[in-house]
């Protein structure tokens, strides 16, 4: 006959089982926490070592940069900068520089023998090159002939040519005023300079 | 007591992480950035060294005479007296005496005059556009006399002088005796009187 009589209310078996279940998580938590601490400590050590390595590298690079900086000679750099500044300023000036000599040459070529200029006044402004002259001609026909020369291909460099104040003077000559502007291409320094250089070369060829 | 130890270890670990690891990580990261900048600067400096060497080589290959010519073309200072003497020397070559020389001091010509004028009038004026240029202008006006052929040669010489000269204004009149027979002028028939305004440049 089965003995189902219970002598005590304390469940002995269950007590043993419970004590095993409680110990396992405690151990695991300890292992995890110790592991976590070890990881943190290793990370601290690693970072500390890496930081020291980087500091040394930075110091090396810094000294390399100092030696490279010493390589650049300040005087040389200043000299090069000044030369560069002078070159670019010269180019800037030459690009807008003009000469008046070709103007006199073209005026000489376009003047007919019956006309003489008695005064010349030239002004350079931001708007261009303006010339005012006074002249004397033998007769009105000569003035008209001179005007036609200005309108021909010979006078292509002269724009807005205006004859004014025509009158006969005491010597029976015709006096007049003339105003015009000058084509800037005639006064180009670069063009004139090239022409000046080509003249000796041509002379040598002949 | 046993359960207290893992909690203590965890607290220490977390504390170490926030107090030591994180600041260390940040400083290491900053250091890494700094080192990258150093490396970039070093590689740039290598490029700059090569560029400087190339430029110096090119500069040394320019003849000294050419460098001197360029310096004479655009000098470091206005040297106005030297410029006037140079114009006079060229004019004398063609027997054309220089008279009535007028010029403004280079400083007042380049902006201070405008500032003084605006201060007097109390007006605010825009700054001189020439002030921003890398070069300055110096103008002189003078009168001279001579034949027309000498004047043409003088003009050519002046315009192709080594120090760049810009002829801004020219005016001359034929003496009365030449055109109308009235010999009231002191100049002989082929001698004209000229007024010129010329300017030169210098590097600021």
């Amino acid at each position: 006959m089965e003995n189902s009589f219970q002598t005590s209310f304390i469940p002995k078996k269950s007590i043993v089982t419970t004590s095993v279940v409680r110990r396992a998580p405690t151990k695991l938590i300890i292992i995890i926490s110790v592991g976590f601490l070890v990881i943190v400590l290793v990370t601290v050590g690693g970072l500390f070592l890496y930081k020291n390595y980087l500091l040394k590298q930075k110091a090396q690079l810094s000294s390399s940069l100092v030696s490279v900086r010493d390589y650049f000679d300040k005087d040389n750099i200043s000299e090069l900068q000044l030369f560069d500044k002078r070159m670019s300023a010269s180019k800037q000036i030459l690009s807008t520089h003009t000469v008046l000599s070709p103007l006199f040459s073209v005026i000489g070529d376009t003047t007919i023998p019956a006309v003489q200029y008695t005064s010349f006044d030239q002004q350079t402004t931001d708007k261009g090159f303006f010339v005012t002259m006074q002249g004397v001609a033998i007769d009105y026909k000569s003035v008209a002939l001179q005007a036609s020369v200005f309108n021909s291909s010979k006078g292509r460099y002269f724009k807005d040519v205006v004859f004014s104040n025509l009158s006969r003077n005491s010597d029976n000559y015709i006096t007049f005023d003339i105003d015009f502007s000058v084509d800037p291409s005639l006064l180009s320094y670069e063009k004139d300079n090239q022409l000046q250089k080509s003249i000796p070369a041509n002379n040598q060829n002949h | 007591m046993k359960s207290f130890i893992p909690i203590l270890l965890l607290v220490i670990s977390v504390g170490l992480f926030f107090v030591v690891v994180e600041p260390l990580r940040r400083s290491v990261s900053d250091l890494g950035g700094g080192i990258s900048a150093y490396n970039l600067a070093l590689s740039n400096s290598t490029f700059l060294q090569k560029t400087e060497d190339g430029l110096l080589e090119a500069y040394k290959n320019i003849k000294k005479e050419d460098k001197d010519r360029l310096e004479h073309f655009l000098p470091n200072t206005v040297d106005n007296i030297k410029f006037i003497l140079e114009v006079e020397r060229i004019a004398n070559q063609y027997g054309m005496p220089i008279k009535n020389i007028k010029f403004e001091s280079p400083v007042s010509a380049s902006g201070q005059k405008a500032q003084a004028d605006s201060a007097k009038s109390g007006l605010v004026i825009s700054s001189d556009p020439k002030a921003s240029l890398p070069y300055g202008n110096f103008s002189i006006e003078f009168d001279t006399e001579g034949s027309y052929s000498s004047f043409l040669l003088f003009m050519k010489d002046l315009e192709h002088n080594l120090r760049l000269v810009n002829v801004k204004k020219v005016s001359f009149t034929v003496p009365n005796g030449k055109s109308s027979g009235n010999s009231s002028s002191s100049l002989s028939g082929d001698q004209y009187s000229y007024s010129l305004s010329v300017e030169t440049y210098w590097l600021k």
Side-chain angles (χ1 to χ4, degrees):
Chain A
M1 191 182 162
E2 194 185 334
N3 184 17
S4 60
F5 180 75
Q6 202 169 349
T7 54
S8 171
F9 288 104
I10 299 166
K12 286 177 185 173
K13 280 183 184 175
S14 66
I15 286 169
V16 172
T17 314
T18 309
S19 69
V20 170
V21 172
R22 275 184 185 171
R23 273 180 194 168
T26 312
K27 237 180 177 177
L28 189 68
I29 288 168
I30 289 173
I31 288 167
I32 289 170
S33 55
V34 168
F36 192 64
L37 182 65
V38 168
I39 289 168
V40 169
L41 287 173
V42 167
T43 309
V44 169
L47 281 173
F48 188 72
L49 288 175
Y50 187 53
K51 188 185 173 182
N52 278 345
Y53 165 74
L54 288 180
L55 281 171
K56 277 182 191 169
Q57 203 182 356
K58 191 181 175 184
Q60 279 176 353
L61 287 171
S62 178
S63 64
S64 301
L65 266 181
V66 169
S67 60
V68 164
R69 192 181 59 190
D70 293 342
Y71 175 87
F72 294 106
D73 187 352
K74 277 186 183 173
D75 291 342
N76 277 344
I77 292 171
S78 303
E79 201 175 336
L80 286 174
Q81 279 177 330
L82 183 65
F83 185 75
D84 178 57
K85 192 179 169 190
R86 200 188 302 281
M87 282 287 283
S88 48
S90 301
K91 279 181 189 169
Q92 205 175 335
I93 292 168
L94 283 176
S95 66
T96 55
H97 188 59
T98 54
V99 285
L100 287 181
S101 311
L103 172 65
F104 294 111
S105 173
V106 175
I107 289 175
D109 290 345
T110 51
T111 306
I112 61 168
V115 166
Q116 181 197 12
Y117 296 114
T118 54
S119 86
F120 175 92
D121 194 60
Q122 173 274 332
Q123 282 212 347
T124 308
T125 68
D126 293 338
K127 289 178 183 173
F129 307 89
F130 299 96
V131 174
T132 303
M133 296 194 293
Q134 289 179 335
V136 179
I138 294 171
D139 49 23
Y140 282 107
K141 196 180 165 189
S142 302
V143 178
L145 191 61
Q146 182 60 66
S148 67
V149 173
F150 274 114
N151 290 328
S152 70
S153 62
K154 266 187 171 182
R156 65 186 180 280
Y157 292 113
F158 304 129
K159 311 289 175 199
D160 308 321
V161 183
V162 177
F163 284 82
S164 59
N165 297 332
L166 277 83
S167 62
R168 195 177 288 277
N169 68 7
S170 55
D171 295 324
N172 215 23
Y173 290 133
I174 308 301
T175 61
F176 62 89
D177 293 350
I178 176 171
D179 298 271
F180 56 85
S181 61
V182 184
D183 186 342
S185 69
L186 175 68
L187 311 174
S188 161
Y189 175 78
E190 284 182 342
K191 200 174 150 188
D192 188 59
N193 208 27
Q194 282 169 2
L195 194 72
Q196 295 291 324
K197 281 178 185 169
S198 68
I199 290 168
N202 287 342
N203 288 345
Q204 278 179 355
N205 291 339
H206 292 300
Chain B
M1 182 66 186
K2 272 186 179 176
S3 61
F4 177 71
I5 291 170
I7 292 168
L8 183 70
L9 287 175
L10 276 174
V11 168
I12 290 169
S13 303
V14 171
L16 272 174
F17 182 81
F18 284 108
V19 176
V20 182
V21 174
E22 187 54 24
L24 255 178
R25 189 198 62 78
R26 255 186 259 141
S27 73
V28 163
S29 171
D30 290 347
L31 267 173
I35 284 169
S36 304
Y38 271 87
N39 278 325
L40 185 68
L42 270 174
S43 64
N44 282 346
S45 68
T46 313
F47 170 73
L48 288 175
Q49 276 177 351
K50 281 181 189 168
T51 309
E52 194 203 9
D53 289 345
L55 286 173
L56 275 174
E57 189 66 30
Y59 182 67
K60 280 175 187 165
N61 284 338
I62 299 170
K63 288 179 192 165
K64 193 182 176 301
E65 303 94 85
D66 290 341
K67 286 179 200 166
D68 291 344
R69 280 161 63 94
L70 186 66
E71 198 167 334
H72 190 88
F73 178 84
L74 194 62
N76 291 332
T77 56
V78 59
D79 216 347
N80 50 348
I81 301 301
K82 198 175 171 185
F83 173 62
I84 292 166
L85 290 175
E86 211 164 311
V87 171
E88 195 171 27
R89 180 187 61 77
I90 296 169
N92 286 340
Q93 282 179 359
Y94 303 102
M96 300 179 75
I98 298 287
K99 294 184 284 190
N100 305 329
I101 299 172
K102 290 176 219 157
F103 61 90
E104 283 183 19
S105 70
V107 175
S108 64
S110 66
Q112 283 196 0
K113 189 185 169 196
Q115 282 177 9
D117 289 349
S118 67
K120 269 184 198 171
S121 62
L123 291 170
V124 177
I125 57 166
S126 59
S127 59
D128 184 3
K130 283 186 177 177
S132 62
L133 293 172
Y135 55 86
N137 305 55
F138 171 66
S139 300
I140 61 167
E141 286 179 24
F142 59 88
D143 297 337
T144 186
E145 291 169 6
S147 66
Y148 184 67
S149 56
S150 297
F151 170 71
L152 290 182
L153 291 170
F154 167 61
M155 283 286 286
K156 269 193 180 172
D157 218 350
L158 195 64
E159 286 171 341
H160 293 92
N161 183 35
L162 195 51
R163 183 163 181 184
L164 201 65
V165 177
N166 192 16
V167 181
K168 283 165 63 185
K169 194 177 160 188
V170 177
S171 63
F172 57 88
T173 309
V174 176
N176 289 339
K178 175 96 177 171
S179 60
S180 64
N182 180 357
S183 58
S184 61
S185 168
S186 62
L187 295 167
S188 61
D190 62 340
Q191 297 289 301
Y192 302 167
S193 178
Y194 308 88
S195 292
L196 282 97
S197 171
V198 301
E199 70 175 2
T200 191
Y201 312 93
W202 85 96
L203 191 66
K204 278 183 187 169

